[in-house]
Coordinates of all heavy atoms in Angstrom, one line a residue:
A187 N 2.7 18.5 2.5 CA 3.4 17.2 2.6 C 4.9 17.3 2.2 O 5.7 16.5 2.7 CB 2.6 16.2 1.8
G188 N 5.2 18.2 1.3 CA 6.6 18.3 0.9 C 7.4 18.9 2.0 O 8.7 18.6 2.0
A189 N 6.8 19.6 2.9 CA 7.6 20.1 4.1 C 8.0 18.9 5.0 O 9.1 18.9 5.5 CB 6.7 21.1 4.9
V190 N 7.2 17.9 5.1 CA 7.5 16.8 5.9 C 8.7 16.0 5.2 O 9.7 15.7 5.8 CB 6.3 15.8 6.0 CG1 6.7 14.6 6.8 CG2 5.1 16.5 6.7
A191 N 8.5 15.8 3.9 CA 9.6 15.1 3.1 C 10.9 15.8 3.1 O 11.9 15.2 3.4 CB 9.1 14.9 1.7
A192 N 10.9 17.1 2.9 CA 12.2 17.8 2.8 C 12.8 17.8 4.2 O 14.1 17.6 4.3 CB 11.9 19.3 2.4
S193 N 12.1 18.1 5.2 CA 12.7 18.1 6.6 C 13.2 16.7 7.0 O 14.3 16.6 7.6 CB 11.6 18.6 7.6 OG 11.2 19.9 7.3
A194 N 12.4 15.7 6.7 CA 12.8 14.3 7.1 C 14.1 14.0 6.4 O 15.1 13.5 7.0 CB 11.7 13.3 6.7
F195 N 14.2 14.3 5.1 CA 15.4 13.9 4.3 C 16.6 14.7 4.8 O 17.7 14.2 5.0 CB 15.2 14.2 2.8 CG 16.4 13.8 2.0 CD1 16.5 12.5 1.5 CD2 17.4 14.7 1.6 CE1 17.6 12.1 0.7 CE2 18.4 14.4 0.8 CZ 18.5 13.1 0.4
A196 N 16.4 16.0 5.1 CA 17.5 16.9 5.6 C 18.1 16.4 6.9 O 19.3 16.4 7.1 CB 17.0 18.3 5.7
F197 N 17.2 15.8 7.7 CA 17.7 15.3 9.1 C 17.9 13.8 9.1 O 18.0 13.2 10.2 CB 16.7 15.8 10.1 CG 16.9 17.2 10.5 CD1 16.1 18.2 9.8 CD2 17.8 17.7 11.4 CE1 16.2 19.6 10.1 CE2 17.9 19.0 11.7 CZ 17.2 20.0 11.0
G198 N 18.0 13.2 7.9 CA 18.4 11.8 7.9 C 17.3 10.8 8.2 O 17.6 9.7 8.6
L199 N 16.0 11.3 8.2 CA 14.9 10.4 8.5 C 14.2 9.9 7.2 O 13.4 10.6 6.7 CB 13.9 11.2 9.4 CG 14.5 11.8 10.7 CD1 13.5 12.7 11.3 CD2 14.9 10.7 11.6
Q200 N 14.6 8.8 6.7 CA 14.2 8.4 5.4 C 13.4 7.1 5.3 O 13.1 6.6 4.3 CB 15.4 8.2 4.5 CG 16.2 9.6 4.3 CD 17.5 9.3 3.7 OE1 18.6 9.5 4.3 NE2 17.6 8.9 2.4
D201 N 13.0 6.6 6.5 CA 12.1 5.4 6.5 C 10.7 5.8 6.4 O 10.1 6.5 7.3 CB 12.3 4.7 7.9 CG 11.5 3.5 8.0 OD1 10.8 3.1 7.0 OD2 11.6 2.8 9.1
P202 N 10.1 5.5 5.2 CA 8.7 5.9 5.0 C 7.7 5.4 6.1 O 6.8 6.1 6.4 CB 8.3 5.3 3.6 CG 9.6 5.1 3.0 CD 10.6 4.8 4.1
K203 N 7.9 4.2 6.6 CA 7.0 3.7 7.7 C 7.1 4.6 8.9 O 6.1 4.8 9.5 CB 7.4 2.3 8.0 CG 7.1 1.3 6.8 CD 7.5 -0.1 7.2 CE 7.2 -1.1 6.0 NZ 7.5 -2.5 6.4
R204 N 8.3 5.0 9.3 CA 8.4 5.8 10.5 C 7.7 7.2 10.3 O 7.1 7.7 11.2 CB 9.9 6.0 10.8 CG 10.1 6.8 12.1 CD 11.6 7.0 12.3 NE 11.9 7.9 13.5 CZ 13.1 8.3 13.8 NH1 14.1 7.9 13.2 NH2 13.2 9.1 14.9
I205 N 7.9 7.7 9.1 CA 7.3 9.0 8.8 C 5.8 8.9 8.7 O 5.0 9.8 9.2 CB 7.9 9.6 7.5 CG1 9.4 9.8 7.6 CG2 7.1 10.9 7.1 CD1 10.1 10.1 6.4
L206 N 5.3 7.8 8.1 CA 3.8 7.6 8.1 C 3.2 7.5 9.5 O 2.2 8.1 9.8 CB 3.5 6.3 7.3 CG 2.0 5.9 7.3 CD1 1.2 7.0 6.6 CD2 1.8 4.6 6.5
E207 N 3.9 6.8 10.4 CA 3.5 6.6 11.7 C 3.4 8.0 12.4 O 2.4 8.3 13.2 CB 4.5 5.8 12.5 CG 4.0 5.5 14.0 CD 5.1 4.7 14.7 OE1 6.0 4.2 14.1 OE2 4.9 4.5 16.0
A208 N 4.3 8.9 12.1 CA 4.3 10.2 12.7 C 3.1 11.1 12.2 O 2.5 11.8 13.0 CB 5.6 10.9 12.4
V209 N 2.8 11.0 10.9 CA 1.8 12.0 10.4 C 0.4 11.3 10.2 O -0.5 12.0 9.8 CB 2.3 12.5 9.0 CG1 3.6 13.2 9.1 CG2 2.4 11.4 7.9
F210 N 0.3 10.0 10.4 CA -1.0 9.4 10.2 C -2.0 9.9 11.2 O -1.8 9.9 12.4 CB -0.8 7.9 10.3 CG -2.1 7.1 10.2 CD1 -2.8 7.1 9.0 CD2 -2.7 6.4 11.2 CE1 -4.0 6.4 8.8 CE2 -3.8 5.7 11.1 CZ -4.5 5.7 9.9
D211 N -3.2 10.2 10.7 CA -4.3 10.7 11.6 C -5.5 9.7 11.3 O -6.1 9.8 10.3 CB -4.7 12.1 11.2 CG -5.7 12.7 12.1 OD1 -6.4 11.9 12.8 OD2 -5.8 14.0 12.2
P212 N -5.8 8.9 12.3 CA -6.9 7.9 12.1 C -8.3 8.6 11.8 O -9.1 8.1 11.0 CB -7.0 7.2 13.4 CG -5.6 7.4 14.0 CD -5.2 8.7 13.6
E213 N -8.5 9.8 12.4 CA -9.8 10.5 12.2 C -9.9 10.9 10.7 O -10.9 10.8 10.1 CB -9.8 11.7 13.1 CG -10.1 11.4 14.6 CD -10.2 12.7 15.3 OE1 -9.2 13.4 15.5 OE2 -11.4 13.0 15.8
A214 N -8.8 11.5 10.2 CA -8.8 11.9 8.8 C -8.9 10.7 7.9 O -9.6 10.8 6.9 CB -7.5 12.7 8.5
A215 N -8.2 9.6 8.2 CA -8.3 8.4 7.4 C -9.8 7.9 7.3 O -10.3 7.5 6.3 CB -7.4 7.4 7.9
A216 N -10.4 7.9 8.5 CA -11.8 7.4 8.5 C -12.7 8.3 7.7 O -13.6 7.8 7.0 CB -12.3 7.4 10.0
L217 N -12.6 9.6 7.8 CA -13.4 10.5 7.0 C -13.1 10.3 5.5 O -14.0 10.3 4.7 CB -13.2 11.9 7.4 CG -13.8 12.3 8.8 CD1 -13.2 13.7 9.2 CD2 -15.3 12.3 8.7
S218 N -11.9 10.1 5.2 CA -11.5 10.0 3.8 C -12.1 8.7 3.2 O -12.5 8.7 2.0 CB -10.0 10.0 3.6 OG -9.6 9.9 2.3
N219 N -12.2 7.7 4.0 CA -12.8 6.4 3.5 C -14.2 6.6 3.1 O -14.8 5.7 2.4 CB -12.6 5.3 4.6 CG -11.2 4.9 4.7 OD1 -10.4 5.1 3.8 ND2 -10.9 4.3 5.9
Q220 N -14.9 7.6 3.6 CA -16.3 7.9 3.2 C -16.4 8.4 1.8 O -17.5 8.4 1.3 CB -16.9 8.9 4.2 CG -16.9 8.4 5.6 CD -17.4 9.5 6.6 OE1 -17.8 10.6 6.1 NE2 -17.3 9.2 7.9
G221 N -15.4 8.7 1.2 CA -15.4 9.2 -0.2 C -14.2 10.1 -0.5 O -13.3 10.2 0.3
R222 N -14.3 10.9 -1.6 CA -13.2 11.8 -1.9 C -13.1 12.9 -0.9 O -14.0 13.1 -0.1 CB -13.4 12.4 -3.3 CG -13.2 11.3 -4.4 CD -13.2 11.9 -5.7 NE -14.4 12.6 -6.1 CZ -14.9 12.5 -7.3 NH1 -14.3 11.9 -8.3 NH2 -16.1 13.2 -7.6
L223 N -12.0 13.6 -0.9 CA -11.7 14.6 0.1 C -12.8 15.7 0.1 O -13.1 16.3 1.1 CB -10.4 15.3 -0.2 CG -9.9 16.3 0.9 CD1 -9.8 15.7 2.3 CD2 -8.6 16.9 0.5
Q224 N -13.5 15.9 -1.0 CA -14.6 16.9 -1.1 C -15.6 16.6 0.0 O -16.3 17.5 0.4 CB -15.2 16.9 -2.5 CG -14.4 17.6 -3.5 CD -13.5 16.7 -4.2 OE1 -13.0 15.7 -3.6 NE2 -13.1 17.0 -5.4
S225 N -15.8 15.3 0.4 CA -16.8 15.0 1.4 C -16.5 15.7 2.7 O -17.4 16.0 3.5 CB -16.9 13.5 1.6 OG -15.7 13.0 2.1
L226 N -15.2 15.9 3.0 CA -14.8 16.6 4.2 C -15.3 18.0 4.2 O -15.8 18.5 5.2 CB -13.3 16.6 4.3 CG -12.5 15.3 4.5 CD1 -11.0 15.6 4.6 CD2 -13.0 14.5 5.7
Y227 N -15.2 18.6 3.0 CA -15.7 20.0 2.9 C -17.2 20.1 3.0 O -17.8 21.1 3.5 CB -15.2 20.6 1.7 CG -13.7 20.9 1.7 CD1 -12.8 19.9 1.3 CD2 -13.2 22.0 2.3 CE1 -11.4 20.1 1.4 CE2 -11.8 22.2 2.4 CZ -10.9 21.2 1.9 OH -9.6 21.4 2.0
R228 N -17.9 19.1 2.5 CA -19.4 19.0 2.6 C -19.7 19.0 4.1 O -20.6 19.7 4.6 CB -19.9 17.8 1.9 CG -19.8 17.9 0.4 CD -20.6 16.8 -0.2 NE -20.3 16.7 -1.6 CZ -19.6 15.7 -2.1 NH1 -19.1 14.8 -1.4 NH2 -19.3 15.7 -3.5
L229 N -19.0 18.2 4.9 CA -19.2 18.0 6.3 C -18.9 19.4 7.0 O -19.6 19.8 7.9 CB -18.4 16.9 6.9 CG -18.6 16.6 8.4 CD1 -20.0 16.2 8.7 CD2 -17.7 15.4 8.7
L230 N -17.9 20.0 6.6 CA -17.5 21.3 7.2 C -18.6 22.3 7.1 O -18.8 23.2 8.0 CB -16.2 21.9 6.5 CG -14.9 21.3 7.0 CD1 -13.8 21.9 6.2 CD2 -14.7 21.7 8.5
S231 N -19.3 22.3 6.0 CA -20.4 23.3 5.8 C -21.5 23.2 6.9 O -22.2 24.2 7.1 CB -21.0 23.2 4.4 OG -21.7 21.9 4.4
S232 N -21.6 22.1 7.6 CA -22.6 21.9 8.6 C -22.0 22.2 10.0 O -22.8 22.0 11.0 CB -23.2 20.6 8.5 OG -22.3 19.6 8.8
L233 N -20.8 22.5 10.1 CA -20.1 22.6 11.4 C -19.9 24.1 11.8 O -19.7 24.9 10.9 CB -18.8 21.8 11.5 CG -19.0 20.3 11.3 CD1 -17.6 19.7 11.2 CD2 -19.8 19.7 12.4
R234 N -19.8 24.4 13.1 CA -19.5 25.8 13.5 C -18.3 25.8 14.4 O -18.3 26.3 15.5 CB -20.7 26.4 14.2 CG -21.9 26.5 13.3 CD -23.0 27.3 14.1 NE -24.2 27.5 13.2 CZ -25.3 28.1 13.6 NH1 -25.4 28.6 14.8 NH2 -26.3 28.2 12.7
R235 N -17.2 25.2 13.9 CA -16.0 25.2 14.7 C -14.8 25.5 13.8 O -14.9 25.4 12.6 CB -15.7 23.9 15.4 CG -15.8 22.7 14.5 CD -15.7 21.4 15.3 NE -15.8 20.2 14.5 CZ -15.8 19.0 15.0 NH1 -15.7 18.8 16.3 NH2 -15.8 17.9 14.2
P236 N -13.7 26.0 14.3 CA -12.6 26.5 13.4 C -12.0 25.5 12.5 O -11.6 25.8 11.4 CB -11.5 27.0 14.5 CG -12.3 27.2 15.7 CD -13.4 26.2 15.7
A237 N -12.0 24.2 12.9 CA -11.4 23.1 12.1 C -12.2 21.8 12.3 O -12.7 21.6 13.4 CB -9.9 23.0 12.4
L238 N -12.2 21.0 11.3 CA -12.8 19.7 11.4 C -12.1 18.8 12.4 O -12.7 18.1 13.2 CB -12.9 19.0 10.1 CG -13.6 17.7 10.0 CD1 -15.0 17.8 10.4 CD2 -13.5 17.1 8.6
L239 N -10.8 18.8 12.4 CA -10.0 17.9 13.2 C -9.0 18.7 14.1 O -8.6 19.8 13.8 CB -9.1 17.0 12.3 CG -9.9 16.2 11.3 CD1 -8.9 15.4 10.4 CD2 -10.8 15.2 12.0
S240 N -8.8 18.2 15.3 CA -7.9 18.9 16.2 C -6.4 18.9 15.8 O -5.7 19.8 16.1 CB -8.0 18.3 17.6 OG -7.4 17.0 17.7
G241 N -6.0 17.8 15.1 CA -4.6 17.7 14.7 C -3.7 17.4 15.8 O -2.5 17.3 15.6
E242 N -4.2 17.0 17.0 CA -3.3 16.7 18.1 C -2.5 15.5 17.9 O -1.3 15.4 18.3 CB -4.1 16.6 19.4 CG -3.3 16.4 20.7 CD -2.4 17.6 20.9 OE1 -2.6 18.7 20.5 OE2 -1.3 17.4 21.6
R243 N -3.1 14.5 17.3 CA -2.4 13.2 17.0 C -1.2 13.5 16.1 O -0.1 13.0 16.3 CB -3.3 12.2 16.4 CG -2.7 11.0 15.7 CD -2.0 10.1 16.7 NE -1.3 9.0 16.0 CZ -0.2 9.0 15.4 NH1 0.5 10.2 15.3 NH2 0.4 8.0 14.9
V244 N -1.4 14.3 15.1 CA -0.3 14.7 14.1 C 0.7 15.5 14.8 O 1.9 15.3 14.6 CB -0.9 15.4 12.9 CG1 0.2 15.8 12.0 CG2 -1.9 14.6 12.2
R245 N 0.3 16.5 15.7 CA 1.2 17.3 16.4 C 2.2 16.5 17.2 O 3.4 16.7 17.2 CB 0.5 18.3 17.2 CG 1.4 19.3 18.0 CD 0.6 20.3 18.8 NE 1.6 21.2 19.5 CZ 2.2 22.3 18.9 NH1 1.9 22.6 17.6 NH2 3.0 23.0 19.6
V246 N 1.6 15.6 18.0 CA 2.5 14.7 18.8 C 3.5 13.9 18.0 O 4.6 13.8 18.3 CB 1.6 13.8 19.7 CG1 2.4 12.7 20.4 CG2 0.8 14.6 20.7
G247 N 3.0 13.4 16.9 CA 3.8 12.5 16.0 C 4.9 13.3 15.3 O 6.1 12.9 15.3
V248 N 4.6 14.6 14.9 CA 5.6 15.4 14.2 C 6.7 15.8 15.2 O 7.9 15.8 14.9 CB 5.0 16.6 13.6 CG1 6.0 17.6 13.1 CG2 4.2 16.1 12.4
F249 N 6.3 16.2 16.4 CA 7.3 16.5 17.5 C 8.1 15.3 17.9 O 9.3 15.4 18.2 CB 6.6 17.2 18.7 CG 6.6 18.7 18.6 CD1 5.5 19.3 18.1 CD2 7.7 19.4 19.0 CE1 5.5 20.7 18.0 CE2 7.7 20.8 18.9 CZ 6.6 21.5 18.4
K250 N 7.5 14.1 17.9 CA 8.3 12.9 18.2 C 9.3 12.6 17.1 O 10.4 12.2 17.3 CB 7.3 11.7 18.3 CG 8.0 10.4 18.7 CD 7.0 9.3 18.9 CE 7.7 8.0 19.2 NZ 6.7 6.9 19.4
L251 N 8.9 13.0 15.8 CA 9.8 12.7 14.7 C 11.0 13.7 14.7 O 12.2 13.3 14.5 CB 9.0 12.9 13.4 CG 9.7 12.4 12.1 CD1 9.9 10.9 12.1 CD2 8.8 12.8 10.9
F252 N 10.8 15.0 14.9 CA 11.8 16.0 14.8 C 12.3 16.5 16.1 O 13.4 17.2 16.2 CB 11.3 17.2 14.0 CG 11.0 16.8 12.5 CD1 9.7 16.7 12.1 CD2 12.0 16.5 11.7 CE1 9.4 16.4 10.8 CE2 11.8 16.1 10.3 CZ 10.4 16.1 9.9

Side-chain angles (χ1 to χ4, degrees):
V190 179
S193 300
F195 184 86
F197 284 91
L199 305 169
Q200 294 167 250
D201 181 0
K203 291 182 180 178
R204 182 180 175 188
I205 296 168
L206 175 61
E207 182 182 354
V209 302
F210 178 65
D211 188 338
E213 288 184 289
L217 287 168
S218 184
N219 288 338
Q220 297 173 5
R222 290 190 297 218
L223 184 58
Q224 283 87 332
S225 65
L226 297 181
Y227 291 92
R228 295 192 189 102
L229 183 57
L230 275 175
S231 65
S232 65
L233 299 176
R234 294 185 178 181
R235 52 186 182 184
L238 180 61
L239 305 175
S240 70
E242 186 58 29
R243 165 66 181 80
V244 178
R245 181 177 180 82
V246 170
V248 169
F249 267 94
K250 184 178 179 181
L251 191 65
F252 295 110

